[in-house]
Amino acid sequence: MRDAVAPEPLPLWPFTGREDELRLVRRSSAGARRGLVVTGPPGRGKTRLVTEAVRGTDCARIAGIPQAHRMPFAAFAPLLPESVTLHRAVRLLSGVRTLLVDDAHLLDDSSAALVHQLAVRSDTRLLIVVTDGAPVPAAVSRLWTGELLPRLPLGPLPREETARLVTVGAGRAPEPLTVNRLHRLAGGDLRLLRELLGALRGHEDLTPVPGTDEWAWRGPVPLTPAVREHTAHLLTRTGPGERETLDRLAFAEPLPVELDGPTGPEHPMGPAGRPAGPAPLDLAALERLEDDGLVHVDGRGAVRLAHPLHGPVLRAAAGGLRARRLARAPEEYGPALDAEAAALTALIGQADVRTVPAPVGDWLVAEGVPVPAGYAALRARYARLRGEVREAAAWAREGLCTTASARSGPAEAEAEAEAEAEAEAEAEVEVEVEVEAEVEVGAGAAAEARAELALAEAQSPALASVRHPAHAPHDPYDAVRLGAPERAAGRLTGVFAAHADALTHADGPALDRAAGELERRGFLLFSAEAYAQAAAAHRDPGAARTARTRAVALARRCQGARTPALAALALGELTARQRQIVTLAATGLSNRQIAERLTLSIRTVGNHLYSAYTRLGASDRTALPRLTDPRPTGPRPAEFQEKQPA
């Protein structure tokens, strides 16, 4: 067990990812609206949201005070005289235009009644913040149950915004699997996320990712005071068999529930006092844990821990002897990984990649346990289909590291995996990848991982090397994405065939429908490409703008992916001057040559290029030809080349 030392404080986080909610809160305090109630779990960012909404406005602010329930109008002490009646308090506050009430669940009864009366009888606009799960005074809860004020439940921050936060002050960005892990562990609690990040600064388990400027976190969760406080209800379970059941799940979930199993902690013992085999779970303990929301039993009778943080914390808190007794050998996770691979392959076959039912693979990689190269290649393909190109590259690297470890030993594994990845990324070759339901482990799996790495890097300016793999048609649908749907005629089905048909006829509305269905099925990058094609096909300027806006929004969720279909879309995000300079830079002109041609200073050209890099998701000018030319780079595939006259 390893406790974390006190870390250096993180820099102030930017406000991000709540643009829609921010507009809603601001509108609620303007015009004829009476206000809004913002609710959500602890650490969700409720106070930060409403604070940003009223920044720069004339807004009075109060907050509920713990342990002040017997003090009348305690929360309003800064705004009211010492002794006042409810009626007089309403009159005294009638001139307040906007009132922000933070931690309204902690209000004393008099203050709660005053807030309710202000909502009913005054012109004061109210912004109320309430924490879910806490006892709330009846006068406050009636604000939304009585429909006096609308209620805004605040959801978790999206994963892509979490990635932005964890990058702040880190010097370089975390790789996608680390972002995913932090996002899962925090569960939407930004205070816990900040605590974890603070504990990880300078941590020995942080390592650079070969071939990138990113860092990765592999290893146990640091047991900071905040983490212990967050999981105290878990670590202090003392009921018969409860801690043993929790620990067994932490090291081996999911486990089957045997309804005819023992109702106590006893289990058969073999020689030397060791268990003769996996003992059935304690049903009585399971029932108590399920009642308290600590475990979840799915429809197939498999039981898991209910929160992604619980397993890592229990494993980190286990003593050495307990961990040795409960931990499985890496090969023992094979059946669980096979089941996850089969589920993912089935979803790909159903053209539905909305979910990723693979928690075992996630936590094995998170804690540094090698996974089979074939499994990693499948995870890479699944992520790529979802438009998560950087995550796809990260999974492919995991598979290459496993292969290198098996072939060369741990000392040479990382260097060999990096060399293989760089060689594959620089080769301009056509790659065809087909992952079957049964993933082969060995040389074929390593080739699949290398191919997936090349495909992911080919679509990501942040990852690709100077020489980009050619945009070759890996399957008939690639022809549609490259703008040549006639090459896929009769070879596609379902939504992919609909996309091809709509593009063939330059049918903007049909392309919108195909893009919407692709988005619904989880193919975010394909959907963004279809919307971009729709923007070019629409004759109605309004419809074209709507399609382009949707394409931009989806592309931003695809981890910086850039493809030929999105090239024109990327340029559309630039100013006219930026487009002019970027286009010239893409042809190979230097900053000085561009400055002379456009009669600008070299500094101005450099500033415009820097701003354009940020908007385009490029690191330098070497990526510009690929981002600005909608045609495939490199030699055109033979089947796409027009026959030349004899």
Side-chain angles (χ1 to χ4, degrees), residues 5 31 76 96 236 256 271 310 317 333 335 355 377 394 399-400 430 439 481 499 533 589 614 630:
V5 297
F76 283 89
V96 174
T236 57
H310 291 172
Y333 294 102
T355 59
L400 292 176
E430 296 184 19
V439 179
R481 299 175 63 199
H499 182 185
Q533 292 166 342
L589 294 182
T614 302

Side-chain angles (χ1 to χ4, degrees), residues 569-581:
L569 186 69
L571 287 178
E573 298 184 51
L574 305 181
T575 65
R577 178 64 83 181
Q578 287 171 345
R579 284 197 299 272
Q580 189 179 31
I581 292 174

Side-chain angles (χ1 to χ4, degrees), residues 104-106 130-131 134-141 144:
H105 54 285
L106 297 177
V130 177
T131 296
V136 181
V140 173
S141 63
W144 67 87

Side-chain angles (χ1 to χ4, degrees), residues 106-129:
L106 297 177
L107 290 177
D108 59 274
D109 290 341
S110 298
S111 295
L114 176 54
V115 169
H116 190 274
Q117 287 299 306
L118 289 173
V120 173
R121 300 172 53 186
S122 78
D123 293 329
T124 301
R125 296 179 179 88
L126 300 172
L127 293 178
I128 313 293
V129 177

Side-chain angles (χ1 to χ4, degrees), residues 237 239-250 265 267 281-282 285 289 322 325-326:
R237 297 294 297 209
E242 291 180 354
R243 184 58 184 271
E244 175 71 11
T245 299
L246 289 170
D247 282 345
R248 286 185 61 192
L249 287 169
H267 50 78
L281 292 172
D282 184 336
L289 295 171
R322 178 179 289 267
R325 174 172 64 86
L326 295 175

